[in-house]
Every structure is written in C-alpha cells, then in structure tokens.
Amino acid sequence: MNLSMKWLADYVNVDVPIKDYCHALTMSGSKVECYETEGKGILNIVVGKILSVVPHENSDHLVVCQVEVGKDSPVQIVTGASNVNAGDIVPVALDGSTLPNGIKIKKGKLRGVESNGMLCSLGELGLDKRDFPYAIEDGIFIMQEDCKIGQDICSAIGLNDTSVEFEITSNRPDCLSVIGLARETAATYNLPLNVKAPEYKGVEGDINEFLKIEIKNAEKCRRYCAGIVKNVKIEPSPRWMRERLRASGVRPINNFVDITNYVMLEYGQPMHAFDLRYVEGSKINIRNAVNGEKIVTLDGIERELADDMLVIADEKKPVAVAGIMGGEYSGIMEDTTTVVFESAYFEPSQVRCTSKKLRLKSDACARYEKGVDPFISMICLKRAFELVEELGAGEVLNTVIDCDYLDYDKKNTVEFDSKWINEFLGTEIPEADMIDYLNRLGFEIADGKVIVPSFRIDIECRADIAEEVARIYGYNNIPSTDFRGVAKAEFTSEQKFVRTLRDTAVSLGGYEITTYSFVSPKYFDKIRLPENSKLRKTVKIVNPLGEDTSVMRTSTIPSMLDVLSFNYNNRNEKACLFEISKEYLPVDEKRNYAPDEANLVNNGKPRHEYEYQLPDEPQRLTIGMYGGETDFYVIKGMTEQIFAEINISGVEYVRAETCEVFDEKYALHPGRSAVILKDGRHLGIIGEIHPEVQENYGIDVKTYVAKLNIPELMECAENKITYRPLPKFPATTRDLSLIVDDEIPVAELEKAIRKAVGKILEKITLFDVYKGKQIEEGKKSVSYSISMRSHEGTLTDEQADSAMKKALKALADIGAELRA
C-alpha cells in the first residue's frame, strides 16, 4: 500500500520528518518498506516564460528562444521543438540541472549558437499525458498551471508528494486504505482523526425507474448498494486527484474511473461503475454463474465460469465477476451518458477461490479476499457521489438501492481484563491507559467487554487485544523477561564440538553440503562393497518415494561422491566439500517388552511381543575433494589440522587394506588409503577413490575422501589445555639415515624411535625417502632429524648418544639399519 503524505494530511495533521514517521509507524505495527519523494532526481529545473522565438541562423529545424527564468536577464536556449511560441510557460532545465533519469544538462553550442539549458517535455520530467491531459506527447510541455516564473518545477506541477510504502499483512485489510493508515497514524501520535461523513445534494429522480437489483445468493453477497448518475461528462480528473492517484501508484484514466479508484484507496472499499446502456433489461442480478457460461473481462480475455463462482449479471449475461473484474462492456466509454455505481460486500473466501480458478487478480480482488468492512458500502457510495458533484461530472439521483442482509445486532466482543493483559505482556500499564490506546484505534469498552469495530476482522481473543495495547504502548517500553520454567539455553558439549569441526573445515577451504539420509541400495555396488559387508544391512523405508530413496544410509561416502560427481559433470574445475551428518546402523538385538500397563491395549492384549530397537545414528564428518593441486597429502593435512584444533595428538595412519573394521576401504585405492587410529580407537578412514569407483561416478580426475567418526573423536579429544612454559635449555639434534625394507611404513619407524628415545624426544622430522641405484632393490633409504631436549638441564653428548643407541636397537628389531 502506497500512502500519499499529502492525502494523509486531510485526516491527521502529523508534522514530523519522514524518517521519524516511518520509524514510528513501523514500531506501532504498520511496517514501512520504504518511502520515495516525487521529483527527487530533478534538480535546477524551473518555470520559464518564452519571450521570443527566432530561427537558427545555421539550421532549418532549430529555433533560438529567449526565456525568462526569474533572473536579472533572460537565458538563451536553442531547441528543435516546433510547438513553442512567445508567451508560453515551459519547464526550463538550466545549466547544471539534472533530469529524473540522471542526465545532467550543461550549456554548450548548437550549430555555433550558444544554448544555456533545455526546454523540457513531459517525458523528460518522467511524466506522461495521463498526468497532464492537455499536454502533447511529442513536444515541449506548455504549462497551463497557476505558477510563478522561476518557481521550482516540482512545486509548480505538484511533483513533490512523498509516498510511503507499507507492507500490509493479510490480517489487516483495514490498512489497505488511506483512512485506515490515518487511523494508525493518529493512534501512534495520539492526534485527532478527522474523517467527515460524505454528503451530496442529488437531483430528484426514482432510481427504480432506471434499475432493478436482486441478490440471488445472499450468503456470498450480503450487501449490494447502487446509485445512478445521469448526464455524465467524461473528462480528465482535476490535477489534485491525478496527483494523489499517481502518488498511490494508480494511473489516472478519466473522472469516473478515477473516482472509483480514489474511493477504493481512501476507504479500502472496491467500487465499480457500469455503463447503464450495456445492462440489458435494466436489471442487475447477483447470482452464481452457470457451468460453461463465458465472460470477456476488462483485460480482453474470455473466461469460462463455473457454478460456484459469483457474478453480477443482467437479464441475459454476466457483466462482471463479483469482487474481481468487470466485463468487456461494463467499463466507462467516452460516449457514456448514464452510469451505475456499485458498492457491495462479497464473501472473502468465494472471491479468493474464484480468483485462483480463473487466474485473475485485481486491486479489488486483493481487498475483497482479505475482507473489507461490510458496513461501509453505503458510506463509500455516498463518497463517490460527493466526488461526482465536486468534479461536476454529472447529476446524481437522490435515491439509491440498498439490498442489505447484514446482521446489525451481532457485534464482535472480547473480554477486557487489564490484569490478564499485564500478566500476559509482563507490564504494569494502568487500565486507563489501556482504554485510551484502544479508543484511539476505534475500539469501545463497555461492561468489561471490548467492542471490536467492524473494520477489524482480525480481532478474536484476549491475546489480540493485548497486542493492540502493546503496540501503542510501545514494544521498546516492555521490559525483557526470561521465559518462566525454562532453563537457560546453551550448547551441549557435543554441539560445541561439532561447531568446532564445522568452523575448522570452513577455515580450511571447505564448502558445507547437506545430503539425503535416504539412499539407493545400488550405492553399495557403486563403491565396491563385498556382498557380505555389514554395511549392506540397512534400515528399509516402509513407504519409500522410490528405489533411489528406499534405505537409510550406512555410509556417508556414496552421498559425498554423488555431490562431487554432480559438480564435476557441471564443469566445476575443483571442489572441496564437507558434510556433518549421520549414518544409520541397524542394531541386531531385540528389546523384549513385558506386557505391563504401558503396553496393554484392547482389553489387556499386549501391543507387541517384541519391538526392534532403533538404529544407532553416529555422526560423521565427511570430506571430499578433487581438482587443483589436490593429492593424498592435502586431504591428510586437512585431517591433521582438524585433530590439532580439537586437541588430538599421537594419531597413527595404518594401511587401509590391513584393517577389517572399515568396509569403505574397498572404495579406496589400496596403496593410497589409510585408517586413522588413536590408542586402538578407529577415528576414520582417508584416501584416494578407487579408479573403478571413480568410473562408476563419472569422475575422470583423482578424487579423495576422508570420513571421521565424531563420537570417537570426542572420546579422544583433550578437553583441558595444559600450559607449557618456554624451554629454558637448548635442544640437541641428531640425524639418522636408515636402510629398511620397502614395505615397512615410515610410521612404524617413527613409532619405534619415539618409544626408544622416551620423554626427552621433542620432535622427529622425516626429511628424505630415497629409492634408487645406490640402494639395494626392495629397500629404501629413510632419513630423520631428531630433536631432543630436557626440561631439567642441558643435555650432554653422552645422554643424546645413549638415546640414539636405544633408538638404533629398536629399529634393528624391525629390520632397519644405519645407512653407510
């Protein structure tokens, strides 16, 4: 809903900066999306008077104008327009001015003659002929407005209104009107609301001689008011009306159409005007359509109707779809002489259903389907007639037709309990203040009840009344309180641990993904699982959407490979992804429930003799990557950094093919994969995807995955961080170059050295692995740098040599010897 601030001033005098107004209305419950001032992009364009027009000396189509702009001397402007003459009042863009489209006007020369600005057309001011019907489309805007020479053009032509855009929720249709928003403004600022009852004089005449009306479905149309205007004059609306419609986002058309739009925007009540000559039989029937009946609506589209749709019809055909849009010949033509004004209340749900079935939307439909005030139909009809007389647009008959099936005795009331409201809000608002707030909003208080006004269809219970009090009292004035009976919310240790894993994975360049827990049994074949693998034993879905989602996954690796494959096949050159998710591992044991009271149904018969346990659902961190400079050591480095962040040390990497725990090893390259261990616990598996698996997933580059078991990581993580002072004594370094069988892992060598050297070992660094002509076939050379340090004193050469001897002895036991 766009609200014209000039229009608002008719009903409430609020003189505050526009930003303050928007903030105040938002805080009182009427959310402002934005505001915009007309003509804000127009700078230094003024009203000018052409003093003379002479031909250009070097051009046949240009003329040179002397223009008075309120300065000491006139300015010279060269133009190619053919519709300018001496004495014309025109918009003048002076040197340094800016047009609405952002174009800046500078002085210059045209064919050798100096021009100090530009004369403007309607289009150059961001307007069109609907805004000023007397102007021409292609030419300079020759103004007929009452203005002064040198006056800013925006104020001269009324292009200076500010329009505020409100987001009106579906439960507040009363705010889809200027008066509704004026009421909210008056309540927010505690100002008087000035809404006058419309009045019109009318001329003598019996409407029944012109028109008959019958409502055949009073459930869907509970009120229908109609009046007649004869001897109508179809012409443009006055400037003030065009300005307000434009600021509200509605384009002016002609006086009668503009009156119906004006009343709709003002009161929120949609209206329609019919040309009486197209109402056959001079009778209007509000009835259900006949199946297969057709109507061509104002948008020129033929639509087929059904018998659950309400139409406004004459004796032969529908002339409008009730509450949505008129028919092709129901509009106002230039030669229209007699007009029927309609103001009605249509049941909201039927308007919405009809709109959806016909795929037809309109401003009227948007209001009717939310619910308009059923008691203002006649008021709005009178307002339309008041405007007709004010505009001199025709003669209004002083008799009307009012088919009224409303129940005026039934009023919506809600209990008023100030103590309950304060307890509900956590406030101490005096009852008198509550009553004042509610009165400002149009509510009445009587006999301990709140009498809800007819325009507030959203009020149903005490909580609604409390909300009305709270928003006028001010949400910012309500003290903050904790929920009673609820413990203070905080992360569990597991949640904190998982957040650390997630943050670390992101810091290492990973993008988080989320995949389905339901997978296809075919996944097991794609990752080369053996037929007897325990991972093939799954939890089956009773009512799956299809085979592709028929079982719960027992491994997260296929899901990761699916996403990597999708990225690769969509030409993503590289990817580094991670997911924190669950696996679903069936539990073999049955849980035997005794037929106690909790399990007895149907006259004491046991519910189930046995019930199966739910599967275990351990969390996993799965990492997948390909492309760029990715290799085994890159993804291994990521896992090591994760271990460092969660404070896990002493991790071992063991060849995956030697481990019987992880069946996912069959999905990995046998020589480029490892199982991660810590004190005998299996923390996860890491490696390059097997070439056959890569082919199954359509990936043509080397791909790497790591799967880490989060429960085991939590068990091994050190929660306490121990302070270690800087060393006081120097370190002693020794280098070892060993010859060892090729199949012995270097990790085994490191393990032997660590155990032999003992607590004085500070760091062991592998700096070379060599296989070549100088080394016996089947052997390799492995070189380490060993750093030793004591915290009790400086290590002597004897202590360091003794530690090295122990290390060499331990290495000899596994077949390693010093390289000569």
Side-chain angles (χ1 to χ4, degrees):
M1 174 70 188
N2 293 334
L3 174 66
S4 160
M5 294 302 289
K6 286 185 178 180
W7 200 345
L8 175 69
D10 287 353
Y11 306 105
V12 58
N13 183 21
V14 54
D15 185 17
V16 296
I18 188 64
K19 288 186 177 180
D20 294 346
Y21 174 80
C22 294
H23 175 74
L25 267 290
T26 297
M27 294 308 295
S28 67
S30 303
K31 182 184 176 186
V32 174
E33 288 290 316
C34 61
Y35 71 89
E36 184 174 3
T37 300
E38 292 179 318
K40 65 177 181 179
I42 298 176
L43 298 175
N44 204 23
I45 300 179
V46 299
V47 176
K49 181 179 180 179
I50 298 178
L51 301 177
S52 65
V53 180
V54 299
H56 192 290
E57 59 186 16
N58 298 321
S59 173
D60 294 334
H61 67 278
L62 296 177
V63 294
V64 181
C65 303
Q66 299 298 322
V67 186
E68 181 184 354
V69 292
K71 297 183 178 181
D72 295 337
S73 58
V75 297
Q76 178 172 289
I77 294 177
V78 179
T79 180
S82 60
N83 69 317
V84 292
N85 298 284
D88 287 344
I89 306 298
V90 296
V92 181
L94 300 175
D95 178 37
S97 60
T98 305
L99 299 179
N101 56 11
I103 294 177
K104 296 187 180 298
I105 304 301
K106 298 289 185 182
K107 65 180 180 180
K109 290 186 177 182
L110 293 177
R111 297 285 182 94
V113 177
E114 186 176 272
S115 181
N116 295 302
M118 182 181 77
L119 306 183
C120 299
S121 66
L122 275 177
E124 286 160 341
L125 295 175
L127 304 171
D128 59 35
K129 194 172 171 57
R130 290 189 295 266
D131 297 300
F132 292 92
Y134 62 79
I136 63 173
E137 293 281 1
D138 302 319
I140 301 303
F141 178 23
I142 309 300
M143 300 168 57
Q144 298 177 9
E145 310 303 307
D146 184 13
C147 52
K148 297 179 180 180
I149 304 303
Q151 182 180 355
D152 181 76
I153 193 65
C154 292
S155 63
I157 62 176
L159 196 63
N160 56 355
D161 197 355
T162 297
S163 177
V164 179
E165 182 182 345
F166 287 86
E167 179 192 341
I168 307 301
T169 53
S170 59
N171 67 317
R172 291 300 306 276
D174 59 299
C175 289
L176 286 170
S177 65
V178 176
I179 291 177
L181 291 172
R183 186 184 298 110
E184 292 292 311
T185 301
T188 300
Y189 285 99
N190 196 15
L191 296 171
L193 179 66
N194 180 28
V195 179
K196 297 179 181 178
E199 296 178 355
Y200 69 98
K201 295 178 180 178
V203 298
E204 292 295 328
D206 185 0
I207 190 174
N208 293 300
E209 295 178 1
F210 292 84
L211 186 67
K212 303 291 182 184
I213 294 177
E214 182 181 359
I215 298 178
K216 296 185 177 181
N217 189 336
E219 291 183 0
K220 293 185 176 181
C221 177
R222 287 189 278 160
R223 193 174 192 186
Y224 193 95
C225 304
I228 295 287
V229 180
K230 62 181 183 179
N231 299 325
V232 305
K233 300 174 184 178
I234 307 300
E235 57 187 9
S237 300
R239 175 179 142 181
W240 64 265
M241 181 175 282
R242 298 196 307 269
E243 286 178 5
R244 292 185 176 186
L245 291 175
R246 182 181 65 225
S248 301
V250 176
R251 66 178 189 179
I253 297 176
N254 60 50
N255 50 359
F256 275 86
V257 175
D258 292 350
I259 285 171
T260 60
N261 286 332
Y262 191 91
V263 175
M264 179 181 71
L265 291 170
E266 190 173 37
Y267 283 86
Q269 167 70 53
M271 296 191 69
H272 193 66
F274 297 97
D275 189 331
L276 182 60
R277 62 184 166 171
Y278 292 112
V279 181
E280 295 191 48
S282 297
K283 183 175 182 180
I284 289 178
N285 298 304
I286 297 90
R287 62 171 174 82
N288 284 63
V290 178
N291 276 327
E293 198 170 21
K294 295 182 179 179
I295 183 174
V296 178
T297 46
L298 281 173
D299 56 3
I301 299 175
E302 184 179 70
R303 304 177 188 276
E304 185 173 329
L305 306 172
D307 60 5
D308 60 346
M309 300 177 182
L310 193 69
V311 296
I312 299 166
D314 57 24
E315 286 193 335
K316 294 183 178 180
K317 65 185 185 304
V319 295
V321 182
I324 302 177
M325 188 176 287
E328 182 178 24
Y329 296 106
S330 69
I332 304 300
M333 316 294 181
E334 291 185 0
D335 59 347
T336 297
T337 59
T338 305
V339 169
V340 180
F341 271 102
E342 158 200 294
S343 179
Y345 176 78
F346 300 112
E347 198 275 323
S349 62
Q350 73 88 16
V351 174
R352 177 166 176 78
C353 290
T354 300
S355 170
K356 290 187 69 176
K357 289 178 181 178
L358 294 179
R359 296 182 181 179
L360 181 60
K361 280 286 186 182
S362 66
D363 286 340
C365 168
R367 287 167 168 80
Y368 272 126
E369 69 182 13
K370 292 178 178 66
V372 300
D373 184 352
F375 296 99
I376 63 169
S377 299
M378 183 55 70
I379 296 173
C380 293
L381 185 65
K382 291 180 179 180
R383 176 58 172 155
F385 290 160
E386 183 180 49
L387 289 169
V388 169
E389 291 187 340
E390 184 178 344
L391 272 56
E395 299 176 353
V396 181
L397 292 188
N398 59 5
T399 57
V400 297
I401 297 175
D402 186 2
C403 299
D404 191 354
Y405 293 91
L406 296 173
D407 183 359
Y408 288 85
D409 295 328
K410 184 179 179 181
K411 293 185 177 180
N412 182 16
T413 61
V414 177
E415 178 187 356
F416 177 67
D417 185 343
S418 59
K419 181 180 179 181
W420 182 91
I421 291 174
N422 274 324
E423 290 178 352
F424 183 72
L425 297 177
T427 57
E428 296 180 359
I429 305 172
E431 182 176 305
D433 289 353
M434 292 186 187
I435 294 174
D436 176 53
Y437 300 153
L438 294 172
N439 288 339
R440 289 193 223 168
L441 292 167
F443 297 86
E444 296 179 15
I445 314 298
D447 301 326
K449 298 285 185 181
V450 178
I451 302 173
V452 181
S454 57
F455 55 81
R456 289 303 302 272
I457 64 172
D458 59 311
I459 304 299
E460 297 179 350
C461 61
R462 290 188 299 178
D464 294 330
I465 299 299
E467 180 184 4
E468 299 301 301
V469 170
R471 65 190 186 90
I472 302 303
Y473 174 69
Y475 293 121
N476 289 342
N477 296 325
I478 299 176
S480 299
T481 55
D482 293 330
F483 287 109
R484 292 187 294 273
V486 179
K488 185 178 179 180
E490 59 181 19
F491 289 118
T492 64
S493 57
E494 181 179 4
Q495 289 172 327
K496 293 177 182 178
F497 188 81
V498 169
R499 285 169 69 90
T500 301
L501 293 178
R502 178 179 286 109
D503 292 345
T504 305
V506 171
S507 70
L508 293 170
Y511 288 86
E512 186 171 12
I513 63 171
T514 301
T515 58
Y516 288 113
S517 299
F518 305 153
V519 297
S520 169
K522 295 178 181 178
Y523 276 10
F524 303 134
D525 295 330
K526 292 181 74 172
I527 64 171
R528 302 178 68 249
L529 280 185
E531 291 296 329
N532 61 348
S533 172
K534 61 183 179 182
L535 296 181
R536 288 184 179 268
K537 183 179 180 182
T538 60
V539 176
K540 295 180 175 60
I541 307 301
V542 176
N543 55 343
L545 297 175
E547 186 182 4
D548 288 345
T549 55
S550 60
V551 299
M552 304 292 287
R553 65 181 172 200
T554 54
S555 173
T556 56
I557 290 179
S559 300
M560 175 59 70
L561 291 175
D562 250 355
V563 180
L564 291 173
S565 172
F566 177 82
N567 277 267
Y568 177 78
N569 287 290
N570 279 274
R571 300 183 180 181
N572 193 355
E573 294 181 357
K574 59 182 180 179
C576 179
L577 312 174
F578 76 93
E579 179 181 24
I580 297 175
S581 55
K582 293 182 178 180
E583 293 176 343
Y584 301 85
L585 308 177
V587 178
D588 293 332
E589 297 81 3
K590 293 180 180 179
R591 180 182 299 153
N592 188 1
Y593 286 101
D596 55 15
E597 185 176 349
N599 284 285
L600 293 179
V601 294
N602 298 332
N603 298 322
K605 295 182 179 179
R607 187 196 307 260
H608 293 292
E609 184 177 356
Y610 293 103
E611 290 190 6
Y612 288 91
Q613 292 186 21
L614 292 173
D616 287 336
E617 301 180 18
Q619 278 194 307
R620 308 299 191 210
L621 168 61
T622 312
I623 303 172
M625 57 198 312
Y626 70 81
E629 298 180 356
T630 300
D631 59 18
F632 176 84
Y633 298 103
V634 170
I635 195 167
K636 180 174 179 284
M638 289 184 68
T639 62
E640 289 176 341
Q641 184 61 39
I642 290 171
F643 294 148
E645 289 293 329
I646 58 179
N647 208 16
I648 295 179
S649 59
V651 172
E652 299 180 60
Y653 292 83
V654 179
R655 289 180 184 270
E657 63 264 30
T658 65
C659 181
E660 299 297 328
V661 173
F662 289 94
D663 282 354
E664 287 107 329
K665 64 185 179 183
Y666 296 102
L668 304 178
H669 193 294
R672 301 168 189 168
S673 57
V675 170
I676 307 171
L677 302 175
K678 164 70 174 176
D679 298 332
R681 290 190 180 92
H682 293 82
L683 302 186
I685 191 168
I686 183 175
E688 179 184 321
I689 295 298
H690 195 284
E692 291 182 13
V693 177
Q694 282 187 198
E695 184 178 350
N696 292 339
Y697 282 91
I699 305 175
D700 294 333
V701 296
K702 290 183 178 181
T703 305
Y704 301 86
V705 296
K707 189 186 85 169
L708 303 180
N709 300 338
I710 293 179
E712 286 79 359
L713 293 180
M714 288 186 65
E715 291 176 5
C716 295
E718 291 289 341
N719 295 324
K720 295 181 180 180
I721 300 176
T722 304
Y723 168 72
R724 293 183 180 180
L726 292 174
K728 296 179 180 180
F729 305 104
T732 299
T733 304
R734 295 285 190 272
D735 290 343
L736 282 180
S737 290
L738 306 169
I739 300 294
V740 68
D741 291 340
D742 195 16
E743 59 266 7
I744 296 178
V746 294
E748 190 174 340
L749 301 177
E750 289 184 15
K751 186 176 180 180
I753 294 172
R754 289 182 184 277
K755 186 175 180 180
V757 175
K759 62 180 182 179
I760 64 171
L761 178 67
E762 184 177 65
K763 183 170 62 174
I764 177 169
T765 305
L766 173 69
F767 66 84
D768 183 54
V769 177
Y770 173 75
K771 289 186 289 186
K773 294 181 180 179
Q774 300 178 21
I775 304 298
E776 181 183 347
E777 188 175 351
K779 301 281 187 178
K780 61 184 175 183
S781 171
V782 182
S783 299
Y784 291 100
S785 176
I786 300 171
S787 177
M788 296 171 286
R789 189 194 306 267
S790 172
H791 294 281
E792 298 174 357
T794 302
L795 283 179
T796 64
D797 289 341
E798 291 78 9
Q799 289 174 309
D801 292 341
S802 175
M804 286 297 95
K805 289 178 181 179
K806 292 178 182 178
L808 290 172
K809 185 177 184 304
L811 290 168
D813 292 340
I814 58 175
E817 57 185 26
L818 272 176
R819 181 178 175 183

